[in-house]
């Protein structure tokens, strides 16, 4: 009997489909798996009345960040002063909500003889995907593998990702996590009213004789339901029915309020890392709120790193299109709007000891060195004037050591 030769090549169609599925890294979002229309649903979550204020508040806290340089750089310092960093930072922070964001330079202009981006806009996330190598690609009808936007249009796109991994280049989006909380907040009132009504009703107990048939038992159950719903029912003489009072019944209004607050606290913790700021009444309310503000500042620091990544990419784009040396500039993002009470008190201790703030300290505090004039330290009231003439304040440590040495001589 003749043997049939068998080829191990397999189906080319199946291999092509497997290769295509590997090229297109699927989005691991749980919401995408259950609903099938991820970004449209996330857009709806962003407009939820309990979620939108938190997302907006987080963006507002970071939108006012300003760029400063540890080393002087005249061109970039002047350009960033003129550039619209407010909208740029707000668009960048949306990567925290969606997992990633893509910014596109849609308009170029001239600044001090160099070509610079003038208008940068956020692109819809649904237009993009990642391949198995983590490369950002744009969907295309002409190319099933998508278009590598960074290669096709260099110096035009900026990619910011929130907590990406090798297996999940799409990042972690807070809207994706908050979706089911939003569903609970939307349907909470109707569900809680129904649950409170059912759970809080008095219970009715009916007794039937042993050996009763199914019809007798069914009729008795119907009588109990009628009593529960209407409070009245026609029952045969001799039927035993008892009312069992619900002693643990609570207010439906309180039940709704507690559940609504629970869900809102979960949303608060997602965006700020804490729900302590919601506790403003009762014992420990003030201290809890202050601790919550400290944790919230840590969450804002995490957002600063997203903005710094975008600013570094934007700086590289300007360097590339103008033939400048491409290098990582020592950029810092700071908000000059406020100074914490603790930092101000610590500074006051050092300044009261006769020490002068340095340029480095002013930059850390969000000021420029020419924002105000440093005056000569005044001696404490009732104390002897110390002679600090000729001392070089080249650093905090040397100033402190010199001051301590003079105190020893006086004693």
């Amino acid at each position: 009997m003749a043997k049939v030769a068998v080829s191990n090549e397999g189906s080319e169609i199946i291999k092509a489909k497997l290769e295509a599925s590997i090229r297109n890294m699927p989005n691991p979002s749980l919401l995408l798996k259950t609903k099938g229309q991820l970004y449209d649903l996330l857009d709806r979550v962003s407009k939820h009345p309990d979620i939108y204020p938190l997302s907006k508040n987080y963006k507002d806290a970071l939108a006012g960040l300003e760029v400063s340089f540890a080393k002087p750089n005249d061109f970039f310092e002047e350009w960033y002063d003129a550039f619209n960093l407010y909208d740029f930072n707000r668009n960048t922070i949306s990567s925290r909500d969606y997992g990633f964001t893509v910014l596109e330079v849609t308009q170029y202009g001239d600044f001090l003889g160099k070509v610079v981006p003038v208008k940068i806009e956020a692109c819809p996330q649904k237009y993009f995907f990642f391949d198995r190598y983590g490369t950002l690609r744009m969907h295309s009808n002409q190319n099933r593998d998508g278009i590598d936007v960074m290669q096709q249009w260099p110096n035009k796109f900026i990619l910011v990702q929130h907590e990406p991994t090798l297996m999940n280049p799409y990042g972690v989006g807070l809207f994706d996590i908050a979706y089911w909380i939003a569903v609970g907040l939307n349907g909470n009132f109707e569900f809680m009213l129904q649950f409170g009504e059912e759970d809080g009703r008095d219970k009715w107990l009916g007794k039937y004789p042993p050996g009763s048939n199914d019809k007798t038992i069914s009729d008795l159950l119907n009588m109990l339901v009628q009593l529960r719903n209407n409070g009245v029912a026609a029952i045969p003489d001799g039927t035993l029915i008892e009312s069992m009072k619900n002693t643990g019944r609570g207010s439906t209004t309180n039940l709704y309020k507690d559940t609504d607050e629970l869900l809102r606290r979960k949303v608060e913790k997602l965006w700020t890392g804490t729900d302590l700021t919601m506790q403003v009444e009762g014992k420990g309310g003030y201290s809890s709120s202050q601790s919550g503000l400290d944790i919230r500042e840590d969450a804002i620091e995490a957002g600063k790193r997203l903005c710094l990544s975008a600013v570094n990419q934007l700086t590289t784009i300007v360097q590339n299109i103008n033939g400048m040396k491409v290098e990582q500039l020592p950029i810092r993002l700071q908000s000059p709007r406020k100074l914490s009470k603790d930092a101000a008190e610590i500074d006051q201790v050092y300044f009261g000891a006769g020490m002068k703030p340095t340029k480095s300290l002013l930059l850390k505090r969000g000021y420029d060195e020419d924002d105000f004039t440093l005056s000569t330290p005044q001696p404490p009231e009732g104390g002897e004037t110390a002679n600090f003439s000729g001392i070089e304040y080249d650093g905090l440590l040397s100033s402190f050591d010199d001051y301590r040495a003079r105190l020893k001589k006086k004693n």
Side-chain angles (χ1 to χ4, degrees):
M1 183 177 180
K3 293 184 178 180
V4 179
V6 178
S7 172
N8 292 325
E9 293 183 0
S11 170
E12 296 297 333
I13 296 177
I14 294 178
K15 287 195 296 183
K17 287 186 175 294
L18 289 175
E19 179 66 17
S21 66
I22 295 176
R23 279 195 298 265
N24 186 345
M25 180 76 75
N27 193 320
S29 166
L30 295 176
L31 180 58
L32 181 63
K33 294 178 180 178
T34 56
K35 292 295 183 181
Q37 43 180 328
L38 176 63
Y39 293 111
D40 291 338
L41 286 175
L42 295 186
D43 290 339
R44 293 172 58 186
V45 173
S46 69
K47 300 299 189 297
H48 190 279
D50 287 310
I51 294 178
Y52 174 79
L54 276 174
S55 176
K56 180 180 181 298
N57 178 262
Y58 189 88
K59 292 177 182 177
D60 290 342
L62 291 164
L65 292 175
E66 297 178 355
V67 175
S68 64
F69 293 84
K71 296 180 180 179
N73 191 306
D74 295 337
F75 171 76
F76 278 106
E77 286 178 354
E78 292 188 36
W79 179 60
Y80 275 118
D81 284 341
F83 182 70
N84 183 10
L85 264 177
Y86 186 87
D87 291 339
F88 181 77
N89 288 335
R90 289 187 68 87
N91 289 332
T92 298
I93 293 301
S94 65
S95 60
R96 196 169 182 259
D97 296 333
Y98 289 90
F100 75 97
T101 190
V102 180
L103 306 177
E104 179 184 3
V105 181
T106 57
Q107 185 178 349
Y108 296 88
D110 180 84
F111 185 83
L112 298 180
K114 298 185 184 297
V115 179
V116 295
V118 173
K119 190 175 183 180
I120 302 178
E121 301 180 79
C123 303
Q125 284 84 358
K126 61 183 177 182
Y127 293 163
F128 300 91
F129 68 95
F130 292 90
D131 62 18
R132 58 181 172 177
Y133 303 108
T135 302
L136 178 69
R137 294 182 175 274
M138 184 172 65
H139 292 287
S140 172
N141 293 331
Q142 287 73 34
N143 188 345
R144 67 175 184 176
D145 296 333
I147 302 174
D148 185 343
V149 296
M150 300 298 185
Q151 183 180 20
Q152 183 73 19
W153 301 287
N155 304 316
K156 189 172 177 62
F157 289 92
I158 295 174
L159 170 63
V160 185
Q161 298 159 281
H162 177 241
E163 298 184 4
T165 63
L166 180 63
M167 297 302 296
N168 179 22
Y170 294 90
V172 178
L174 299 190
F175 285 157
D176 186 34
I177 301 174
Y179 172 78
W180 293 111
I181 301 178
V183 171
L185 287 167
N186 279 338
N188 184 30
F189 186 72
E190 180 181 355
F191 170 77
M192 281 295 106
L193 285 179
Q194 182 179 357
F195 173 78
E197 183 181 2
E198 295 290 340
D199 185 65
R201 285 176 172 172
D202 293 335
K203 309 303 179 186
W204 291 89
L205 175 64
K207 300 180 180 180
Y208 57 87
S212 299
N213 55 34
D214 293 340
K215 184 179 183 306
T216 302
I217 297 175
S218 178
D219 291 342
L220 179 59
L221 287 174
N222 290 332
M223 296 175 196
L224 295 175
V225 171
Q226 188 174 355
L227 276 173
R228 187 195 66 173
N229 293 339
N230 303 326
V232 294
I235 59 176
D237 187 23
T239 304
L240 297 178
I241 294 179
E242 298 178 7
S243 173
M244 303 176 62
K245 297 294 183 181
N246 187 349
T247 57
R249 179 165 44 205
S251 169
T252 303
T253 303
N254 291 337
L255 180 63
Y256 165 72
K257 179 181 177 181
D258 293 343
T259 305
D260 183 72
E261 181 179 357
L262 173 66
L263 294 175
R264 288 190 295 109
R265 282 183 178 271
K266 290 181 180 294
V267 176
E268 182 85 22
K269 292 179 70 173
L270 265 180
W271 263 266
T272 65
T274 177
D275 63 346
L276 294 177
T277 53
M278 297 180 65
Q279 181 180 341
V280 295
E281 298 179 357
K283 185 177 180 180
Y286 176 77
S287 60
S288 296
S289 297
Q290 289 301 112
S291 300
L293 290 175
D294 293 338
I295 299 174
R296 183 179 184 274
E297 290 301 316
D298 294 338
I300 290 178
E301 287 296 324
K304 282 185 178 181
R305 290 192 287 270
L306 297 175
C307 292
L308 184 60
S309 172
V311 169
N312 283 329
Q313 293 181 63
L314 179 58
T315 303
T316 301
I317 288 177
V318 176
Q319 293 172 338
N320 279 328
I321 60 181
N322 289 284
M324 304 167 67
K325 180 182 178 182
V326 179
E327 58 180 339
Q328 189 80 18
L329 298 180
I331 295 175
R332 289 182 294 198
L333 296 179
Q334 303 177 75
S335 175
R337 293 173 295 176
K338 63 180 180 179
L339 180 66
S340 69
K341 183 175 182 292
D342 291 340
E345 291 177 347
I346 293 174
D347 291 346
Q348 181 63 31
V349 172
Y350 287 115
F351 298 160
M355 300 178 187
K356 292 183 177 180
T358 63
K359 175 183 177 181
S360 176
L361 179 61
L362 291 175
L363 290 175
K364 291 178 181 177
R365 296 292 184 256
Y367 297 101
D368 292 327
E369 57 182 325
D370 56 351
D371 279 349
F372 53 85
T373 302
L374 301 179
S375 60
T376 304
Q378 300 296 323
E381 294 184 5
E384 185 177 343
T385 303
N387 183 14
F388 286 94
S389 60
I391 298 177
E392 295 293 336
Y393 293 93
D394 56 351
L396 184 61
L397 183 60
S398 61
S399 300
F400 181 77
D401 290 341
D402 190 85
Y403 180 69
R404 183 174 56 182
R406 291 179 181 274
L407 288 178
K408 287 182 178 179
K409 289 180 181 180
K410 288 167 61 178
N411 295 332

